[in-house]
Amino acid sequence: MRYLHTMVRITDVDASLDFYCNKLGLEEVRRYENEKGRFTLIFLAAPKDKGASSAARAPELELTYNWDPEDYTGGRNFGHLAYKVDNIYDTCRRLMDGGVTINRPPRDGHMAFVRSPDNISIEILQEGDPLPPAEPWVSMPNTGSW
């Protein structure tokens, strides 16, 4: 398992970059804009983590700006923790066997979401290429929110 990033939703890109970059000292390492999904992802890294960020896209802070205004209540501005694993199906099976609900199953062989006992959303990503779609994951519905 490898730590990737923490995602935080933001409401003002300029104010957030001023805080995280100009004041805190993080540096923008990449940006992704999705017109269809109407969001922007801005990835930041600490200066001493830029080499690792460039090589492995970790460890980073992901700022998510949703283009449509939204009031973030109930901690929704904090998004999720993200980890890459060697085999997403084995990891999800181990979690399920331990009584953890798979909120977003890895139907695509690439991504799943679960929640911690404190309701923190955790994204699990397949290391390397996605695994071929497989049951029971392909037919498993989403449960709750993530």
Side-chain angles (χ1 to χ4, degrees), residues 11-51:
T11 57
D12 184 321
V13 171
D14 293 334
S16 294
L17 290 177
D18 179 57
F19 171 77
Y20 286 106
C21 296
N22 298 336
K23 295 174 180 158
L24 190 59
L26 299 179
E27 298 178 22
E28 184 173 336
V29 292
R30 72 180 180 285
R31 188 181 290 222
Y32 172 73
E33 304 227 354
N34 185 310
E35 288 189 35
K36 184 176 179 183
R38 301 188 47 74
F39 64 85
T40 301
L41 305 179
I42 304 167
F43 291 88
L44 308 177
K48 290 183 179 179
D49 289 329
K50 281 184 68 179

Coordinates of all heavy atoms in Angstrom, one line a residue, residues 11-51:
T11 N -13.7 26.6 -2.4 CA -14.8 27.4 -3.0 C -14.2 28.6 -3.8 O -14.9 29.2 -4.5 CB -15.7 28.0 -1.9 OG1 -15.0 28.7 -0.9 CG2 -16.5 26.9 -1.2
D12 N -12.9 28.9 -3.6 CA -12.2 30.0 -4.2 C -10.8 29.6 -4.6 O -10.0 29.5 -3.7 CB -12.3 31.2 -3.3 CG -11.7 32.5 -3.9 OD1 -10.7 32.4 -4.7 OD2 -12.2 33.6 -3.7
V13 N -10.6 29.4 -5.9 CA -9.2 28.9 -6.3 C -8.1 29.9 -5.9 O -7.1 29.5 -5.4 CB -9.2 28.6 -7.8 CG1 -7.8 28.4 -8.3 CG2 -10.2 27.5 -8.2
D14 N -8.4 31.2 -6.2 CA -7.3 32.2 -6.0 C -7.0 32.3 -4.5 O -5.8 32.3 -4.1 CB -7.7 33.5 -6.5 CG -7.8 33.6 -8.0 OD1 -7.1 32.8 -8.7 OD2 -8.6 34.4 -8.6
A15 N -8.0 32.3 -3.6 CA -7.8 32.4 -2.2 C -7.1 31.2 -1.7 O -6.2 31.3 -0.8 CB -9.1 32.7 -1.5
S16 N -7.5 30.0 -2.2 CA -6.9 28.8 -1.7 C -5.4 28.7 -2.2 O -4.6 28.3 -1.4 CB -7.7 27.6 -2.3 OG -9.0 27.6 -1.7
L17 N -5.1 29.0 -3.4 CA -3.7 29.0 -3.8 C -2.9 30.0 -3.1 O -1.7 29.7 -2.8 CB -3.6 29.2 -5.4 CG -4.2 28.0 -6.2 CD1 -4.1 28.4 -7.7 CD2 -3.4 26.7 -5.9
D18 N -3.5 31.2 -2.8 CA -2.7 32.1 -2.0 C -2.4 31.5 -0.6 O -1.2 31.7 -0.2 CB -3.6 33.4 -1.8 CG -2.9 34.5 -1.0 OD1 -1.7 34.9 -1.4 OD2 -3.4 34.9 0.0
F19 N -3.3 30.9 0.0 CA -3.1 30.3 1.3 C -2.1 29.1 1.2 O -1.0 29.1 1.9 CB -4.4 29.8 1.9 CG -4.1 29.0 3.2 CD1 -3.8 29.6 4.4 CD2 -4.2 27.6 3.2 CE1 -3.5 28.9 5.5 CE2 -3.9 26.9 4.3 CZ -3.6 27.5 5.5
Y20 N -2.4 28.1 0.4 CA -1.6 26.9 0.4 C -0.2 27.1 -0.2 O 0.8 26.5 0.2 CB -2.3 25.8 -0.4 CG -3.5 25.2 0.4 CD1 -4.8 25.5 0.0 CD2 -3.2 24.3 1.5 CE1 -5.8 24.9 0.8 CE2 -4.3 23.8 2.2 CZ -5.6 24.1 1.8 OH -6.6 23.5 2.5
C21 N -0.1 28.0 -1.3 CA 1.2 28.2 -2.0 C 1.9 29.4 -1.4 O 3.1 29.3 -0.9 CB 0.9 28.3 -3.5 SG 0.3 26.9 -4.2
N22 N 1.3 30.6 -1.5 CA 2.0 31.8 -1.1 C 2.3 31.9 0.4 O 3.3 32.4 0.8 CB 1.3 33.0 -1.6 CG 1.1 33.1 -3.1 OD1 1.9 32.5 -3.8 ND2 0.1 33.8 -3.5
K23 N 1.4 31.4 1.2 CA 1.5 31.5 2.6 C 2.1 30.3 3.3 O 3.0 30.3 4.1 CB 0.2 31.9 3.3 CG -0.2 33.3 2.8 CD -1.6 33.7 3.3 CE -1.9 35.1 2.8 NZ -3.3 35.3 2.7
L24 N 1.5 29.1 2.9 CA 2.0 27.8 3.6 C 3.3 27.3 2.9 O 4.1 26.7 3.6 CB 0.9 26.8 3.5 CG 1.0 25.5 4.3 CD1 1.2 25.8 5.8 CD2 -0.2 24.6 4.1
G25 N 3.4 27.6 1.6 CA 4.7 27.2 1.0 C 4.6 26.0 0.1 O 5.6 25.5 -0.4
L26 N 3.4 25.4 -0.1 CA 3.3 24.3 -1.1 C 3.4 24.8 -2.5 O 3.3 26.0 -2.7 CB 1.9 23.6 -0.9 CG 1.6 23.0 0.5 CD1 0.2 22.4 0.5 CD2 2.7 22.0 0.9
E27 N 3.6 23.9 -3.4 CA 3.8 24.3 -4.8 C 2.9 23.5 -5.7 O 2.7 22.3 -5.5 CB 5.3 24.0 -5.3 CG 6.2 24.9 -4.5 CD 7.7 24.6 -4.9 OE1 7.9 24.1 -6.0 OE2 8.6 24.9 -4.0
E28 N 2.3 24.2 -6.7 CA 1.4 23.5 -7.6 C 2.2 22.6 -8.5 O 3.2 23.0 -9.1 CB 0.6 24.5 -8.5 CG -0.4 23.8 -9.4 CD -1.3 24.8 -10.1 OE1 -1.5 25.9 -9.7 OE2 -1.8 24.4 -11.2
V29 N 1.8 21.3 -8.6 CA 2.6 20.4 -9.5 C 1.8 19.9 -10.7 O 2.4 19.5 -11.7 CB 3.1 19.1 -8.7 CG1 4.1 19.5 -7.6 CG2 1.9 18.4 -8.0
R30 N 0.5 20.0 -10.7 CA -0.3 19.7 -11.9 C -1.7 20.2 -11.6 O -2.1 20.3 -10.5 CB -0.2 18.3 -12.4 CG -0.9 17.3 -11.5 CD -0.7 15.9 -12.1 NE -1.4 14.9 -11.3 CZ -1.0 14.5 -10.1 NH1 0.2 14.9 -9.6 NH2 -1.7 13.6 -9.4
R31 N -2.4 20.3 -12.8 CA -3.8 20.8 -12.7 C -4.6 20.0 -13.8 O -4.1 19.7 -14.9 CB -3.9 22.2 -13.0 CG -5.2 22.9 -12.8 CD -5.2 24.4 -13.2 NE -4.5 25.1 -12.2 CZ -4.8 26.3 -11.6 NH1 -5.9 26.8 -12.0 NH2 -4.1 26.9 -10.7
Y32 N -5.8 19.6 -13.5 CA -6.7 18.9 -14.4 C -8.1 19.6 -14.4 O -8.7 19.7 -13.3 CB -6.8 17.4 -13.9 CG -7.9 16.7 -14.7 CD1 -7.6 16.3 -16.0 CD2 -9.1 16.3 -14.2 CE1 -8.5 15.5 -16.8 CE2 -10.0 15.6 -14.9 CZ -9.7 15.2 -16.2 OH -10.6 14.5 -16.9
E33 N -8.5 20.0 -15.6 CA -9.9 20.6 -15.7 C -10.8 19.7 -16.4 O -10.4 19.1 -17.5 CB -9.7 22.0 -16.4 CG -8.8 22.9 -15.8 CD -9.3 24.3 -15.6 OE1 -10.4 24.6 -16.1 OE2 -8.6 25.1 -14.9
N34 N -12.0 19.5 -15.9 CA -12.9 18.6 -16.5 C -14.2 19.3 -16.8 O -15.0 19.6 -15.9 CB -13.2 17.4 -15.6 CG -14.1 16.3 -16.2 OD1 -15.1 16.6 -16.8 ND2 -13.7 15.1 -16.2
E35 N -14.4 19.7 -18.1 CA -15.6 20.5 -18.4 C -16.8 19.7 -18.3 O -17.8 20.3 -17.8 CB -15.4 21.0 -19.9 CG -14.4 22.2 -20.0 CD -14.4 22.8 -21.4 OE1 -15.5 22.9 -22.0 OE2 -13.3 23.2 -21.8
K36 N -16.8 18.5 -18.7 CA -18.0 17.6 -18.6 C -18.4 17.5 -17.1 O -19.6 17.6 -16.8 CB -17.8 16.3 -19.2 CG -19.0 15.4 -19.2 CD -18.7 14.1 -19.9 CE -20.0 13.2 -19.9 NZ -19.7 11.9 -20.5
G37 N -17.5 17.2 -16.2 CA -17.8 17.0 -14.8 C -17.9 18.4 -14.1 O -18.3 18.4 -12.9
R38 N -17.5 19.4 -14.7 CA -17.5 20.8 -14.2 C -16.7 20.9 -12.9 O -17.2 21.4 -11.8 CB -19.0 21.2 -14.0 CG -19.7 21.2 -15.3 CD -21.1 21.8 -15.3 NE -21.2 23.1 -14.6 CZ -20.8 24.3 -15.1 NH1 -20.2 24.4 -16.3 NH2 -20.9 25.4 -14.4
F39 N -15.4 20.5 -12.9 CA -14.6 20.6 -11.8 C -13.1 20.8 -12.2 O -12.8 20.5 -13.4 CB -14.7 19.4 -10.8 CG -14.2 18.1 -11.4 CD1 -12.9 17.7 -11.4 CD2 -15.2 17.3 -12.0 CE1 -12.5 16.5 -11.9 CE2 -14.8 16.0 -12.5 CZ -13.4 15.7 -12.5
T40 N -12.3 21.3 -11.3 CA -10.9 21.5 -11.5 C -10.2 20.8 -10.3 O -10.6 21.0 -9.2 CB -10.5 23.0 -11.5 OG1 -11.2 23.6 -12.6 CG2 -9.0 23.2 -11.7
L41 N -9.2 20.0 -10.6 CA -8.3 19.4 -9.6 C -7.0 20.1 -9.7 O -6.4 20.2 -10.8 CB -8.2 17.9 -9.9 CG -9.4 17.1 -10.0 CD1 -9.1 15.6 -10.2 CD2 -10.3 17.3 -8.7
I42 N -6.5 20.6 -8.6 CA -5.2 21.2 -8.5 C -4.4 20.4 -7.4 O -4.8 20.3 -6.3 CB -5.3 22.7 -8.0 CG1 -6.2 23.4 -9.0 CG2 -3.9 23.3 -8.0 CD1 -6.6 24.8 -8.5
F43 N -3.2 19.8 -7.9 CA -2.4 19.0 -7.0 C -1.2 19.9 -6.5 O -0.5 20.5 -7.3 CB -1.9 17.8 -7.7 CG -3.1 16.8 -8.0 CD1 -3.8 16.9 -9.1 CD2 -3.4 15.8 -7.1 CE1 -4.9 16.0 -9.4 CE2 -4.4 14.9 -7.3 CZ -5.2 15.0 -8.4
L44 N -1.0 19.8 -5.2 CA 0.1 20.6 -4.6 C 1.0 19.6 -3.9 O 0.6 18.5 -3.4 CB -0.5 21.6 -3.6 CG -1.6 22.5 -4.0 CD1 -2.0 23.4 -2.9 CD2 -1.1 23.4 -5.2
A45 N 2.3 20.0 -3.8 CA 3.3 19.2 -3.0 C 4.2 20.1 -2.2 O 4.4 21.3 -2.6 CB 4.1 18.4 -4.0
A46 N 4.6 19.6 -1.1 CA 5.6 20.4 -0.3 C 6.9 20.4 -1.1 O 7.2 19.5 -1.9 CB 5.8 19.7 1.0
P47 N 7.7 21.5 -1.0 CA 9.0 21.6 -1.8 C 9.8 20.3 -1.7 O 10.4 19.9 -2.7 CB 9.7 22.8 -1.2 CG 8.5 23.7 -0.7 CD 7.5 22.7 -0.2
K48 N 10.0 19.7 -0.5 CA 10.8 18.6 -0.4 C 10.2 17.3 -0.9 O 10.8 16.2 -1.0 CB 11.2 18.4 1.1 CG 12.2 19.4 1.6 CD 12.6 19.2 3.0 CE 13.6 20.2 3.4 NZ 14.0 20.0 4.8
D49 N 8.9 17.3 -1.2 CA 8.2 16.2 -1.8 C 8.0 16.3 -3.3 O 7.4 15.4 -3.9 CB 6.8 16.0 -1.1 CG 6.9 15.6 0.3 OD1 7.8 14.8 0.6 OD2 6.0 15.9 1.1
K50 N 8.5 17.4 -3.9 CA 8.2 17.5 -5.4 C 8.9 16.4 -6.2 O 8.3 16.0 -7.2 CB 8.8 18.9 -5.9 CG 7.8 20.0 -5.5 CD 8.3 21.3 -6.1 CE 8.2 21.3 -7.6 NZ 8.6 22.6 -8.2
G51 N 10.0 15.9 -5.8 CA 10.6 14.8 -6.6 C 9.8 13.6 -6.5 O 9.5 12.9 -7.5

